[in-house]
Amino acid sequence: MISLKTRIALVTGSSRGIGQQIALGLARHHCDVVLHGRMLDHCAATEKLVRGLGINVYNVAGDLGTEAGIQSIVRGVADGPGHIDILYNNAAIMNPWTPVCETPLPVWLQTLQVNLFAVIALCNAFVPGMRKRCFGRVINLTSGIKETPHLAPYGVSKAAVDKYSQELAVDCKETNVLVNCLDPGWIRTDLGGPNGMFPVETVLPGALVPALLEDNGPTGKFFSAQDFKYFD
Ligand SMILES: NC(=O)c1ccc[n+]([C@@H]2O[C@H](COP(=O)([O-])OP(=O)(O)OC[C@H]3O[C@@H](n4cnc5c(N)ncnc54)[C@H](OP(=O)(O)O)[C@@H]3O)[C@@H](O)[C@H]2O)c1
């Protein structure tokens, strides 16, 4: 397990839900955190949780559904900490429950934009710097969702994230930029809904495992946060 002291992590979608827990977990490991929500004031609750832990905290805002929103995040990092060591692509949206052939194309486009293309855009923005500095951890949130055609855009977006992560991991081999996926489990959040199997706190400490990997450790792998939980 490496030390995260002096490292800087951007956690997209850390204003609530799983991302909030990830940001809190990283902060408890003395990692500086860049919090993100669609609007700056959405970060307030998470900021309150991590303040007082002796780390630097930055807030960035941007809608991952738009190019302007993505650029706002990239600019926020440039104007704040200047670079990113750990990129947690956590933010995502779930499409409305709809029969697959009745799901309109704009819903497919929006879901893939936020869940896949924005992930790629942020990797494009931050991975080259990680490679130059010979340190990086990229963690892309995936899902164990299986054969749920009413949620096809969401499921397809996560399958694509899995494949993209594996391609990026191969491309980053021997650079100490490790690219892995994390399945948090079915969690009771706004996205997971009230019937989720696990409370949000159970994503810790497992969600931190891919950030704490030793240099040149596993890459292109899938981690399950629930494998590491303290309680059921
Ligand atoms: N919950 C589950 O059961 C479950 C299961 C498997 C995988 N996952 C994955 O875990 C990750 C986190 O899910 P969650 O359950 O914590 O979700 P959540 O509670 O709905 O939180 C979503 C987060 O993403 C941000 N976000 C939403 N739409 C955005 C947009 N268009 N642009 C930028 N940010 C946006 C939200 O920011 P604002 O507060 O500003 O809206 C919020 O911080 C997702 O990748 C999800 O697919 C979740």
Side-chain angles (χ1 to χ4, degrees), residues 13 15-16 18 38 42 63-64 90 92 142 154 158 185 187 189:
S15 53
R16 52 191 163 102
I18 293 164
R38 283 173 300 160
H42 292 187
D63 185 339
L64 293 167
N90 165 78
T142 184
Y154 177 77
K158 291 299 184 181
I187 307 294
T189 59

